[in-house]
């Protein structure tokens, strides 16, 4: 629509508004003549309202401003330098001709036409009404795939050649210098259009392979985002979303895109990336099970790797995040309410501790990150002692494992032996198990044990074996210290006391074996420190048995190796029960190893999977449900059928839960311990107990019906016998 048409519309609107205002004044004169007279005396300008007083230019300017705002978003149009649009249909021949002109003749007009087609492809199916500026409106899926594949594969090379930049790489300073040149003023709209439209289509895509390919291609042009801060923030947000929720190789590709942004742009995006990736990590670690363990570990490794880009900046953020954890623990210690305990004893809090433990262990030798080890150690120790009950043995063992890792990486002594020895003195590990053998307990996916599981032999064995392993790890770290004899004296005494108190032969055997290794290690150090002449506070004490430590010659070090092998075998046996974890870990490892570490190198295989990825019939604006593979649809149908069968036949596998429910009725503990802090990663015992109650009711009804049938059958037999006797 032309400018005359717009102005005629605004004039007609203004005339209508003026007439309505006059009618209002006439009604006011009839209803309130005194007020109308007051207006005539003091405000004549308000009553003399003509059509000419309307500012027509204001409406026109507002409309122009709105169109300018629309153009400034990432749907910026390219100014036309070619002939006027004559056709609305994009064909394969047109696209092939542009691609040929760009490759052979490097025509700028073909680049402009291609970018218009790229914009149309990215916005295909959007509900934008009739866009007069759009040159093309209709296309097929084959044309869409051709445009997307060529543009994503070649546009970075084209832009770098137009802007006279190196073939790859670049930093923020390079773009800052480029923004003052003539080339940037001439071609910056091409850069913004390419990045903005690609971002728009990223938000529309549903296939992980298409998203991964698009992000890999955009990574080569990520340095241009330094000139567009608003686009940069949107790209960071989209990449973080794909990193946390994507499947297959998409999390790896998204993380490499984020890391490349941080390396190239520096302070422009570091703060936002650090905050965003930590928030995304927290959102993805609310629940832990066997299937999510490796994914959460992968996310933590990504955060730790991103910290490496700028340790001083990362230290400031890490200090704030660790302080937040300390404040939650302080509230729990002061208020002592179930809600405050629950904020600490949940997977989100524990996984954050695991994350910062891994970060400190990775950068313990760096002066910028080492000071965080002390406050984190204090927090972990406080969490382990917060609720000292047997139900939180898995959480305490997890905390001890974190403390051992920090101690080994920083070379600092942390007194963790008391946390382990206190567990052995609790009655739950000294009494014989009254809950039967029970199922195998995976302490990696458990924070709080239920009361029935607490009395099983499997739980007791898992706890005692873990105590032996962690205590041996702790003592093995200091098995070459000149003060090992004094260090191991109290643990050895308390272990002997446990051997006398426990009635389980296997526990006695484990403890006696550990005690023998501790005594052998004490003799090992005493023999070598007998001729020593230096004082305990002398610097020479730090180099005591340094050669033996490198060889791992102490008895405890060799014993720990066997314990690690046994723990690995136990972990592998639990992993075999979950096929999903094994498949994901294998695929994820291969994807990570195959990813190029340095994106600055010129990659000749940039179009590796592009042809296969952009060969589907997907178009923007389509129904994402229709794009699901047939296999996934079949799986969903099978799951629905299985759920329906379970609802008809009753929940299977609840017999053990029924026994546990009967055992829990004999519990003598207080109500406060019964309603301890519930962590969000449990397996839903309440639902299982409810299902077991329903099953017990059904079983009683079946027994009653069987009794009725038997009584009726017995009555019929008696009647038949009486008839025979009468005859």
């Amino acid at each position: 629509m032309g400018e005359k048409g717009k102005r005629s519309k605004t004039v007609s609107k203004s005339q209508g508004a003026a007439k309505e205002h006059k009618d209002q004044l006439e009604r006011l004169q009839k209803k309130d003549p005194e007020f109308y007279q007051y207006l005539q005396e003091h405000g004549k300008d308000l009553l003399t309202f003509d059509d000419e007083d309307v500012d027509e230019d204001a409406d026109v300017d507002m409309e122009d401003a709105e169109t300018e705002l629309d153009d400034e978003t990432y749907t910026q149009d390219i100014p036309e330098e070619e002939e006027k649009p004559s056709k609305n249909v994009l064909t394969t021949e047109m696209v092939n001709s542009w691609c040929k002109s760009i490759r052979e003749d490097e025509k700028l007009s073909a680049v402009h036409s291609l970018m218009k087609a790229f914009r149309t492809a990215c916005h295909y199916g959007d509900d934008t009404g009739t866009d007069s500026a759009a040159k093309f409106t209709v296309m097929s899926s084959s044309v869409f795939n051709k445009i997307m594949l060529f543009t994503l594969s070649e546009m970075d090379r084209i832009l770098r050649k137009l802007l006279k930049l190196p073939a790859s790489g670049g930093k923020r300073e390079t773009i800052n210098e480029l923004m003052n040149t003539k080339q940037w003023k001439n071609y910056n709209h091409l850069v913004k259009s390419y990045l903005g439209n690609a971002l728009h289509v990223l938000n529309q895509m549903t296939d992980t392979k298409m998203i991964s390919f698009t992000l890999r291609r955009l990574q080569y042009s990520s340095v241009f985002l330094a000139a567009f801060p608003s686009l940069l923030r949107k790209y960071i947000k989209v990449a973080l979303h794909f990193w946390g929720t994507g499947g297959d190789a998409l999390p790896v590709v998204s993380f490499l895109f984020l890391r490349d942004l941080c390396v190239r742009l520096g302070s422009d995006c570091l703060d936002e990336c650090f905050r965003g990736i930590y928030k995304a990590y927290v959102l993805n670690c609310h629940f832990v099970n066997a299937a999510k363990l490796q994914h959460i570990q992968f996310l933590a490794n990504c955060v730790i790797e991103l910290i490496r880009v700028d340790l001083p900046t990362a230290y400031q953020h890490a200090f704030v995040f660790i302080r937040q954890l300390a404040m939650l623990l302080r509230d729990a210690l002061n208020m002592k309410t179930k809600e405050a305990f629950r904020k600490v004893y949940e997977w989100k809090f524990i996984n954050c501790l695991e994350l910062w433990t891994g970060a400190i262990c990775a950068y313990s030798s760096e002066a910028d990150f080492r000071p965080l080890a002390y406050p984190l150690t204090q927090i972990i120790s406080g969490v382990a002692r917060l609720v000292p009950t047997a139900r939180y043995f898995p959480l305490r063992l997890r905390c001890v494992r974190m403390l051992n890792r920090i101690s080994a990486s920083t070379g600092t002594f942390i007194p963790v032996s008391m946390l382990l020895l206190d567990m052995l003195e609790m009655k739950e590990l000294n009494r014989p198990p009254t809950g039967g053998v029970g199922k195998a307990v995976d302490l990696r996916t458990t924070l709080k044990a239920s009361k029935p599981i607490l009395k099983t032999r499997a739980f007791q064995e898992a706890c005692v074996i873990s105590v032996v392993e962690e205590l041996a790890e702790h003592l093995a770290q200091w098995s070459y210290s000149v003060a090992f004899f004094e260090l191991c004296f109290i643990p050895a005494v308390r272990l002997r006391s446990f051997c006398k108190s426990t009635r389980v032969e296997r526990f006695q055997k484990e403890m006696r074996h550990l005690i023998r290794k501790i005594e052998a290690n004490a003799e090992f150090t005493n023999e070598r420190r007998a001729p020593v002449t230096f004082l305990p506070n002398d610097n020479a004490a730090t180099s005591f048995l340094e050669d033996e430590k490198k060889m791992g010659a102490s008895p405890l070090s060799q014993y720990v190796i066997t314990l690690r092998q046994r723990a690995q075998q136990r972990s592998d046996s639990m992993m075999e029960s979950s096929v999903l974890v094994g498949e994901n870990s294998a695929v994820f490892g291969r994807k990570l190893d195959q990813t190029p570490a340095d994106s600055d190198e010129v990659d000749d295989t940039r179009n590796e999977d592009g042809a296969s990825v952009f060969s589907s019939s997907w178009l923007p604006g389509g129904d994402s449900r229709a794009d699901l593979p047939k296999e996934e649809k079949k799986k969903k149908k099978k799951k629905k059928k299985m759920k329906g069968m379970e609802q008809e036949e009753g929940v299977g596998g609840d017999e053990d839960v029924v026994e546990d429910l009967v055992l829990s009725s004999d519990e003598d503990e207080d109500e406060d311990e019964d309603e301890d802090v519930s962590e969000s990663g449990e397996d839903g015992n309440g639902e299982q107990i409810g299902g077991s109650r329903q099953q017990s009711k059904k079983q009683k009804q079946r027994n009653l019906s069987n009794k009725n049938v038997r009584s009726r059958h017995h009555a019929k037999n008696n009647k038949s016998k009486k008839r025979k006797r009468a005859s």
Side-chain angles (χ1 to χ4, degrees):
M1 186 181 292
E3 294 182 359
K4 293 182 179 179
K6 291 182 180 179
R7 291 187 178 180
S8 62
K9 277 191 174 183
T10 54
V11 169
S12 61
K13 289 180 182 178
S14 62
Q15 289 176 354
K19 186 177 181 182
E20 183 180 357
H21 188 65
K22 288 180 179 179
D23 294 339
Q24 290 177 356
L25 291 176
E26 290 177 359
R27 289 195 296 270
L28 178 64
Q29 185 178 5
K30 294 178 181 178
K31 290 182 180 180
D32 196 350
E34 296 180 359
F35 182 66
Y36 187 80
Q37 186 177 1
Y38 175 82
L39 288 177
Q40 283 183 334
E41 295 176 358
H42 297 86
K44 291 183 180 181
D45 296 338
L46 297 175
L47 298 178
T48 56
F49 185 81
D50 296 329
D51 298 345
E52 297 177 356
D53 294 338
V54 179
D55 189 4
E56 298 177 4
D57 296 334
D59 293 335
V60 176
D61 293 340
M62 286 298 294
E63 290 180 3
D64 293 340
E66 289 178 0
T67 56
E68 288 176 4
L69 286 174
D70 292 336
D71 292 342
E72 286 179 0
T73 59
Y74 49 78
T75 60
Q76 180 178 357
D77 296 328
I78 309 301
E80 294 186 16
E81 298 180 7
E82 284 276 304
E83 69 278 0
K84 295 181 180 180
S86 58
K87 294 183 180 180
N88 290 333
V89 180
L90 268 172
T91 62
T92 307
E93 291 76 13
M94 296 169 64
V95 178
N96 288 336
S97 64
W98 296 334
C99 296
K100 185 178 179 181
S101 299
I102 292 172
R103 282 174 175 167
E104 296 179 359
D105 303 330
E106 298 180 356
K107 286 187 177 180
L108 185 60
S109 59
V111 175
H112 281 289
S113 299
L114 181 67
M115 289 308 298
K116 282 185 171 294
F118 181 66
R119 180 193 182 281
T120 304
C122 293
H123 290 266
Y124 189 85
D126 291 357
D127 297 331
T128 56
T130 57
D131 187 2
S132 59
K135 187 175 181 180
F136 309 106
T137 56
V138 181
M139 68 173 63
S140 63
S141 59
S142 60
V143 175
F144 169 81
N145 297 331
K146 180 75 174 177
I147 293 171
M148 295 298 295
L149 182 58
F150 183 83
T151 306
L152 292 173
S153 302
E154 300 294 334
M155 201 60 201
D156 178 70
R157 180 185 61 81
I158 296 169
L159 292 176
R160 288 179 180 273
K161 194 163 187 178
L162 290 174
L163 297 171
K164 298 181 180 180
L165 290 176
S168 62
K171 295 278 187 178
R172 178 187 58 183
E173 293 77 11
T174 308
I175 302 301
N176 291 338
E177 295 175 0
L178 179 68
M179 291 173 67
N180 298 323
T181 62
K182 184 179 179 181
Q183 289 84 4
W184 180 258
K185 294 178 181 179
N186 292 334
Y187 305 118
N188 64 2
H189 58 276
L190 288 173
V191 180
K192 188 173 183 180
S193 178
Y194 170 59
L195 296 175
N197 292 318
L199 175 64
H200 181 80
V201 80
L202 268 178
N203 289 319
Q204 305 295 321
M205 289 180 179
T206 55
D207 184 66
T208 55
K209 291 183 179 179
M210 295 176 76
I211 298 172
S212 299
F213 177 79
T214 305
L215 274 179
R216 280 200 298 267
R217 299 304 312 134
L218 289 170
Q219 184 177 341
Y220 294 102
S221 306
S222 60
V223 67
F224 293 120
L225 291 171
F228 311 106
S230 60
L231 273 179
L232 175 61
R233 289 191 294 270
K234 292 174 183 177
Y235 265 100
I236 292 173
K237 187 176 180 180
V238 169
L240 287 172
H241 172 72
F242 291 143
W243 174 74
T245 61
D248 296 332
L250 183 55
V252 181
V253 175
S254 303
F255 171 72
L256 292 176
F257 181 84
L258 286 170
R259 185 180 179 277
D260 192 68
L261 282 179
C262 293
V263 170
R264 297 188 187 284
L265 306 187
S267 59
D268 286 352
C269 65
L270 273 174
D271 293 334
E272 192 162 355
C273 283
F274 283 146
R275 287 194 297 266
I277 201 169
Y278 181 69
K279 183 179 179 181
Y281 171 80
V282 172
L283 290 175
N284 281 276
C285 65
H286 280 275
F287 303 99
V288 172
N289 51 32
K292 288 194 67 176
L293 269 177
Q294 290 199 346
H295 181 63
I296 292 175
Q297 184 59 47
F298 164 77
L299 297 179
N301 291 339
C302 289
V303 178
I304 294 170
E305 179 62 28
L306 193 66
I307 288 173
R308 189 192 301 272
V309 175
D310 193 338
L311 285 176
T313 305
Y315 171 84
Q316 298 175 2
H317 292 279
F319 181 84
V320 173
F321 296 141
I322 292 175
R323 184 174 177 271
Q324 291 175 355
L325 300 177
M327 292 172 67
L328 290 175
L329 178 61
R330 182 195 63 186
D331 293 341
L333 291 171
N334 293 337
M335 294 188 293
K336 295 183 179 179
T337 60
K338 284 189 285 187
E339 186 63 31
F341 287 150
R342 190 175 290 111
K343 290 181 181 179
V344 175
Y345 278 9
E346 63 178 356
W347 277 115
K348 181 170 64 174
F349 190 95
I350 301 302
N351 282 324
C352 289
L353 292 180
E354 292 273 8
L355 169 66
W356 297 120
T357 299
I360 288 171
C361 292
Y363 309 116
S364 59
S365 59
E366 302 289 341
D368 293 325
F369 230 75
R370 189 182 177 89
L372 293 174
Y374 178 74
L376 185 65
T377 301
Q378 295 293 91
I379 295 171
I380 297 173
S381 301
V383 170
R385 293 185 173 92
L386 184 59
V387 182
T389 60
R391 297 185 67 182
Y392 289 100
F393 277 176
L395 186 141
R396 177 175 284 209
L397 288 169
R398 204 177 187 94
C399 292
V400 168
R401 201 172 295 115
M402 286 188 275
L403 293 175
N404 276 337
R405 289 173 59 193
I406 295 174
S407 177
S409 62
T410 59
T412 307
F413 175 76
I414 300 175
V416 300
S417 59
M418 295 300 108
L419 291 172
L420 297 168
L421 296 171
D422 290 344
M423 292 172 59
L424 296 177
E425 294 179 356
M426 291 187 181
K427 58 184 179 181
E428 285 79 7
L429 296 185
N430 284 318
R431 291 177 180 176
T434 59
V437 177
K439 297 180 181 179
V441 180
D442 190 0
L443 297 178
R444 303 170 305 162
T445 60
T446 308
L447 291 184
K448 175 185 175 183
S450 61
K451 290 182 179 179
I453 294 176
L454 203 63
K455 295 182 177 181
T456 60
R457 192 178 76 182
F459 179 78
Q460 289 185 354
E461 288 182 356
C463 289
V464 172
I465 291 173
S466 298
V467 168
V468 170
E469 291 172 354
E470 296 304 325
L471 186 59
E473 286 277 358
H474 169 66
L475 294 175
Q477 292 177 14
W478 306 102
S479 60
Y480 305 95
S481 173
V482 69
F484 179 79
F485 178 76
E486 292 78 11
L487 177 67
C488 71
F489 179 76
I490 293 178
V493 170
R494 296 182 69 175
L495 289 175
R496 293 191 190 98
S497 175
F498 177 77
C499 288
K500 293 178 181 178
S501 62
T502 185
R503 299 177 184 177
V504 183
E505 293 183 1
R506 185 178 177 183
F507 296 167
Q508 292 177 351
K509 184 179 179 181
E510 289 284 344
M511 293 303 170
R512 286 170 183 165
H513 196 186
L514 178 59
I515 291 170
R516 285 196 295 269
K517 294 297 179 181
I518 292 173
E519 292 174 348
N521 204 100
E523 294 178 2
F524 172 78
T525 54
N526 286 341
E527 289 176 0
R528 286 160 177 76
R529 81 173 187 177
V532 165
T533 57
F534 55 79
L535 297 176
N537 60 351
D538 197 345
N539 292 330
T542 57
S543 60
F544 180 70
L545 299 181
E546 189 172 356
D547 296 334
E548 288 82 352
K549 186 175 182 179
K550 292 179 181 178
M551 294 186 295
S554 69
L556 270 176
S557 296
Q558 297 174 358
Y559 178 56
V560 164
I561 294 174
T562 60
L563 290 179
R564 288 174 182 170
Q565 293 174 352
R566 186 177 69 178
Q568 186 63 39
Q569 292 174 357
R570 189 168 63 251
S571 176
D572 292 341
S573 65
M574 290 184 178
M575 291 276 282
E576 288 175 2
S577 63
S578 177
V579 180
L580 180 64
V581 175
E583 287 181 351
N584 281 354
S585 63
V587 174
F588 231 68
R590 289 199 298 270
K591 298 280 186 184
L592 195 59
D593 294 337
Q594 292 174 0
T595 307
D598 189 3
S599 61
D600 288 344
E601 298 179 3
V602 180
D603 188 5
D604 295 331
T605 61
R606 289 183 174 183
N607 305 329
E608 44 185 344
D609 299 326
S612 60
V613 168
F614 284 97
S615 61
S616 63
S617 60
W618 181 86
L619 283 174
D623 188 6
S624 60
R625 295 180 183 176
D627 301 327
L628 291 175
K630 294 181 179 179
E631 296 180 358
E632 293 185 8
K633 293 180 179 179
K634 290 180 180 179
K635 289 180 181 179
K636 289 185 177 181
K637 290 181 180 178
K638 287 182 180 179
K639 288 181 180 179
K640 289 181 180 179
K641 289 182 180 179
M642 292 295 291
K643 287 182 180 179
M645 292 172 64
E646 288 177 359
Q647 290 176 358
E648 291 177 0
E649 299 177 0
V651 181
D654 285 337
E655 287 79 4
D656 296 333
V657 182
V658 175
E659 293 177 3
D660 293 345
L661 181 62
V662 174
L663 289 171
S664 65
S665 63
D666 300 328
E667 194 66 30
D668 297 327
E669 297 183 8
D670 297 332
E671 291 183 358
D672 293 338
E673 187 177 351
D674 189 19
E675 297 177 359
D676 261 28
V677 187
S678 62
E679 38 85 16
S680 58
E682 277 191 282
D683 297 330
N685 293 329
E687 295 179 1
Q688 292 180 347
I689 290 172
S692 63
R693 287 175 180 170
Q694 291 178 359
Q695 190 175 6
S696 61
K697 289 180 181 179
K698 290 181 180 180
Q699 190 67 29
K700 288 179 181 179
Q701 291 175 0
R702 290 174 185 171
N703 293 336
L704 289 173
S705 62
N706 290 335
K707 286 181 181 179
N708 293 333
V709 171
R710 289 173 185 172
S711 61
R712 290 174 185 173
H713 185 68
H714 187 64
K716 287 182 180 180
N717 290 336
N718 289 337
K719 288 180 181 180
S720 62
K721 286 179 181 179
K722 288 179 181 179
R723 288 175 183 174
K724 287 179 180 180
R725 288 175 184 174
S727 62

